[in-house]
Every structure is written in structure tokens, then in C-alpha cells.
Amino acid sequence: MSDTTKAKPASTPQGFFDKHYHVLRRLHSLTGIVPIGVFLIAHLTTNSSLLWGKWGLRHEGHDETIVSGGVHYFWKEVQWINNQIPHLLLIEIGLWLAIAFHSVLGVYYARSGKSNTARYAYQGNWRYRMQRLSGYVALLYIFYHIATLRWGWSFLVPGGAKWSADFAASTLAAALRGSNEGFTAMGIAVSLFYFVGITASVYHFANGLWTAAITWGLTISQQAQQRWGFASFALGVGLMGMAWASLAGALLTKPSEMQRIELQLLQEKGKGGAMPGEGAALVDATPLVNVPSDPEGTQPAAGGS
Amino acid sequence: MIQTLTSTSSAALAASNRRIAKQGRTVQVSIKRCDGPNKPSRWETFKVTTERGMNVISALMQIAANPTTIDGKQTTPPVWDSGCLEEVCGSCTMVINGKVRQSCSCLLDDYVPNEGDTLTLEPMSKFPVIRDLWVDRERLFHNLKRVKAWVPIDGTYSLGAGPRETPAKQETRYKLSECMSCGCCLEACPQFNVEEDKAQWDTSFIGAHAISQARLFNEHETGKQLKDERIDVLMGPGGVNDCGNAQNCVKVCPKHIPLTESIAAIGRAVTIRSFVKFFKG
Ligand code: HEM
Ligand code: SF4
Ligand code: SF4
Ligand code: FES
């Protein structure tokens, strides 16, 4: 074998990948689950409250509609995340780094294979292909999602809405619709992109959970792999339901209507009613509630959800 | 037995094809021809008159005896590799109607039951072609050497009887030992791709067959002496972590070797070894 082995200089990227091959591979697998996958579960739970919030608030004696309960519960969750979690920004940066790491290596690994589903149209082979495709889609989607809603790159948002924690649901909905009222053409495109993006992300995570158990050697026998396959599938179906519920919750109500509810919440909590930054222009056209003047900072809290 | 038509529907299809096939019919065989390494390839189609129980090798022999294409063009006899003619040596492996399998166990009645049906034959695409349907599987054997797929007993004096094997282990290993190094699992694997530069072989994906053979010898009471060396190779570049879990290998393996179980078992061994190395040095 020695005659076929040529030592490569260790300074090349190839050399770096080869030297730390195993650790990088397994860190890639691990980051897909912790923290990214775990965050995905928490994130979809929060976001889907836009649809199930009404029931979440019942024990507090509220009797709300699905829409007001959803906006209310989601608003509470987002407020909690932004005000109660210590070092939120540090946690977020850790998460972004993990996503960047997993994505860069993911693209590198995905490019090392050559799909052959045309010849070998087995289910497993399709899952393999979709795992790579959904990775690429998730990469584009997650980048757009974070850049627009978290980093405030509103030039990428049709209608220019800027997300704010005080107007969590309405600014999200406005970013999806492209306006504070009906859907614009670009808004429909963004909403469809969201649908494809979250669907790909959930598939990718669920299938990744299944393959990760093989990678680490947790499931060995065919039966064990199959059992874990069912479990991953069930988790995937549940998460897909939550992902679609989140999107439905964000799309089914007009942002202006959501904003009316949020203004009430802000007034009740004594936070006054700061209009969301860039989205304000959209709102001003249709004043729905009289906004009391706000002595303390008029800037809405920015933060993640 | 149709061993590589793995899904029940295609096995059933093969059986029903066999029932309707009439002997003495004329079928066409399209062959992807290539005159030598790195030469361009071309397709040529021949007529074959079927005989009872005819397999692809006997069809090729008929063509070689009179290498005239359906357009009446005289050509060279097609070249192929074969040995045992009973699906145990693996040398006759080729791509038949788009899927990899052994040609000696491939019956024409199963694939082309009607007058005028066409069968296509191609060399495997993951190995360099020597000529026509004959490929060079050197990399497959090289990869077996990478994991030291043998039992280390060579020496200058008798080592006496080896340790005892339990029947349970024997049973696991028996299935793995049936590998005939045919290359089907590599041909169908999306992660195993052509590597012309031999210097890259030691860091390119090793393939399901070698992973499974490493498990076979790691489970052997004497073979396990080399266990750590094997696992270290499989932990490195081109090792088991390169597998993307498409699981095509297990679908196409003519010996029904539980390759995906071997991949997971080696994955576990690699996990454990990396922790041991981390803490023990
Ligand atoms: C929603 C965010 C993401 C989550 C939750 C996630 C999760 C996972 C998990 C759990 C695995 C399984 C690891 C294994 O089989 O050992 C995985 C594999 C993979 N991911 Fe991601 N991932 C995400 C985003 C991405 C992105 C943006 C890419 C970039 C293209 C990507 C590319 C890949 C690839 C190629 C694999 C297969 C690796 C292999 O089999 O060797 N993933 N992912
Ligand atoms: S594992 Fe199966 S498909 Fe692969 S070389 Fe061995 S017998 Fe052939
Ligand atoms: S499971 Fe791994 S070795 Fe088998 S075909 Fe898929 S990628 Fe190749
Ligand atoms: S000739 Fe040996 S397997 Fe076909």
C-alpha cells in the first residue's frame, strides 16, 4: 500500500479535513441534533402557539378567540424569551455558529456523493438524495429567515417590515404577506418559500435523526434501524404538523388585526405602544388604536424567538 | 433464483416472465463496447436466438461466435470476465438493464421473455474498463488490504489450536463470510465513485464490502488481534463515516449480506474507539 500513498502537505484544506476527519464528521452529526435539532423543536413549539395559544391560556381564565389567543400566547412566549433568558445573544451566536459549521461541512459532504436514484430508485436512496437536497434548501431558507427577521435586513423583505419582539406576530405576518393587509405577489412568493423551507428543514432533521443512530452505532440490527425509523418518522410528522401550524398561524390573520391585539397587550403590561420601526409606515396608513404617548424608550425590543 | 431482483414485485415479474417465455425466440442484446482503457465507448446491438435456460454468458458466447450487429456490420467479439458460472466468484458482475448483478446467474427468460425484447449490458461504471464488459476491480481488493481483511497466523512455527468460537458468533460471521468481492455494493453506492488517481485511494471511500469484511475479521477470535488497526483505518478519511446511509449496497448485494448492519456495527466500534483513544491516548 505504501506505494500508493503519497503524503500530502498538512497545510492544505484537504490536509486539515483529513487530519481531523473523524472529529469533524462526528461534530457535524452531533451539531445537527444538539444544538440545531433541539432548537428546532423548541422554536416550532413556540411558533405553533400562534395556532394553539388559545388553549394554552385557558387556565389563566382568559376566553379568547383562536386568533387573539394565538397572538397573545406567542407574544408572551417571545417576551419571556427576550426578557428572561440570560445571555440570549451569546446563545444565539452559538447557535448561528453551529448552523454555519454544519452547513459548510454539509455542503462539502453532500458534494462528495453522486446520486443515482434514476438507476436505483429505492426508498432509502431517495431519502439519501432528499437529505442532501433538503440540506441545500434549508441552508438558503435559514439564512434568509435569520437575516430578515433577526438581523433586520429588511431590504430583503417585500414591504420592508422589520421584526420586533413587541409586535412579534404582526411583524412576522407582515414580512410574510409583504403588506400589513392583504398578500402582495412577492409576499406570496416569500410565504411559499417559507413553506418549502420549513418542510425541508423538518424532513432533514427527522431523517438525520434516523441516520445519526446508524452513524454512531446506536441502531445496528435491521429491526432496530426500522424501529428507530418509525420513531423518527413519528417525530417528523409531529414536527411537520407544528411547522405547518406555525406558518398557518402566521398567514391566516391580517397583520393589522394582530397589531391591534398586540397594542392592547402592550398597554395592559404598561409598556405603552411603540410602533414597530420600519413596519410603522405600513401601520400608519390604517390607525386602528389610539396609541398613548410613551415616556420610556419608543424603540421596540429587538430580539430572537 | 433471481437474487438481484430484490423487490418482491420484480422477483414476481421475473417468475411470470419465465412462464411466458417461448424458446427459440429472437431477442436483441445491446452491449456498451470499449476497445481498451480510456478509449471511447459505443453501443452495438446483436441478435440472439434463445435456448432453454440461457444465461447472459451463453448469449455472449453466441454473439462472440458470430459478432455481426443487427445492421449487418462485422465487429470484434465482445469481451467479458467470468469464472465459476454459479454466482460465487463475482468476476462476471456487470450492469444489466441498468442495474448491477452477476451475468452468469441472469437468465434471459426472466429479462427478455418476448420476441424482439432488448437486453442491455454495460460494464460496471465505478471501475476502469479493460475491454468491453471486463473491468479492473483492483481498487476493491486494495480496499480489503486497507482493513487487513485476513486472520494473522503466518509465522515460523506452529501456534497450536486457536481460541474457541461460539456458535452464535459463527452464525453472524457465516453470513458475512459469503462475500465474493463482486463489487455490486460499490457500483450501486452513491458515495463510492471513480477515483483514477491511485494516490487518493487510501483516503477515498472504502466501500460497504470492506467495512463488512473488517467486521467479519474483528469478530473472529484470532482475527480480532488486528481489530484496533482495522478500526483506526475505518475511523480515518474514506472510512465508515463517508457512508451516507443510502443503503443501496444491501439492496443489490447478491449474497444478501447485512451490509447496513455491518456499517452500523463498525460505526459503533469507531465511536467506542474514539472515546477510548481520547481518554487513554
Ligand atoms: C434545520 C437545520 C438542520 C438540522 C436540524 C440538521 C440536522 C442534521 C442531522 C441530525 C443530520 C444527521 C447526521 C448523521 O447522519 O450522522 C444531518 C446530516 C446532514 N446535514 Fe444537516 N441539519 C440542518 C441543516 C443543514 C444544512 C443547512 C446543510 C447544508 C447543506 C445540511 C447538510 C447535511 C448533510 C449533507 C448531511 C448528511 C451527512 C452525512 O450523511 O454524512 N444540514 N443534518
Ligand atoms: S458485500 Fe455483497 S455486493 Fe459487496 S462485494 Fe461482497 S458479495 Fe458483492
Ligand atoms: S449505505 Fe453507505 S455503503 Fe451502502 S450504498 Fe449507502 S452510502 Fe454506500
Ligand atoms: S462467473 Fe462467478 S459469479 Fe458469475
Side-chain angles (χ1 to χ4, degrees), chain A residues 6-19, chain B residues 200:
Chain A
K6 261 193 222 117
K8 278 173 255 107
S11 56
T12 61
Q14 186 71 44
F16 177 81
F17 275 117
D18 280 359
K19 194 151 171 253
Chain B
Q200 302 294 322

Side-chain angles (χ1 to χ4, degrees), chain B residues 215-229:
Chain B
R215 181 182 178 213
L216 168 69
F217 290 102
N218 280 358
E219 295 287 322
H220 186 279
E221 290 303 333
T222 311
K224 69 163 58 144
Q225 286 173 15
L226 300 178
K227 187 172 177 176
D228 289 349
E229 287 174 54

Side-chain angles (χ1 to χ4, degrees), chain B residues 89-159:
Chain B
C89 77
S91 61
C92 68
T93 307
M94 58 182 74
V95 177
I96 302 178
N97 280 5
K99 284 205 172 67
V100 70
R101 62 164 298 166
Q102 280 65 54
S103 53
C104 68
S105 57
C106 179
L107 303 181
L108 263 60
D109 286 359
D110 296 353
Y111 276 68
V112 281
N114 306 303
E115 180 80 21
D117 281 353
T118 302
L119 187 76
T120 64
L121 306 178
E122 296 162 72
M124 282 197 278
S125 62
K126 305 285 173 79
F127 302 100
V129 172
I130 298 172
R131 189 165 178 164
D132 295 336
L133 301 168
W134 179 23
V135 297
D136 181 358
R137 289 178 296 150
E138 182 189 350
R139 183 167 159 216
L140 183 157
F141 299 106
H142 174 91
N143 287 352
L144 289 174
K145 287 188 220 159
R146 274 165 76 184
V147 292
K148 299 190 166 43
W150 54 74
V151 176
I153 49 165
D154 286 351
T156 52
Y157 61 95
S158 166
L159 296 171

Side-chain angles (χ1 to χ4, degrees), chain A residues 241-284:
Chain A
M242 296 214 295
W244 290 346
S246 309
L247 193 59
L251 290 178
L252 290 178
T253 313
K254 281 188 182 170
S256 55
E257 165 70 10
M258 292 175 167
Q259 199 162 61
R260 199 181 50 75
I261 301 163
E262 287 160 346
L263 279 168
Q264 256 168 18
L265 292 167
L266 287 166
Q267 276 170 344
E268 278 170 31
K269 301 285 171 239
K271 283 192 77 170
M275 283 295 186
E278 301 263 324
L282 291 164
V283 180
D284 284 345

Side-chain angles (χ1 to χ4, degrees), chain B residues 90 93 100 102 137 140 176 178-186 208-210 212-213 249-250 252-257 259:
Chain B
T93 307
V100 70
Q102 280 65 54
R137 289 178 296 150
L140 183 157
L176 307 179
E178 284 183 281
C179 174
M180 57 180 171
S181 307
C182 64
C184 284
C185 55
L186 306 178
H209 74 304
S212 193
Q213 289 300 294
C249 49
V250 75
V252 298
C253 175
K255 295 296 162 192
H256 303 292
I257 295 170
L259 294 167

Side-chain angles (χ1 to χ4, degrees), chain A residues 109 284 298:
Chain A
Y109 294 149
D284 284 345
T298 45

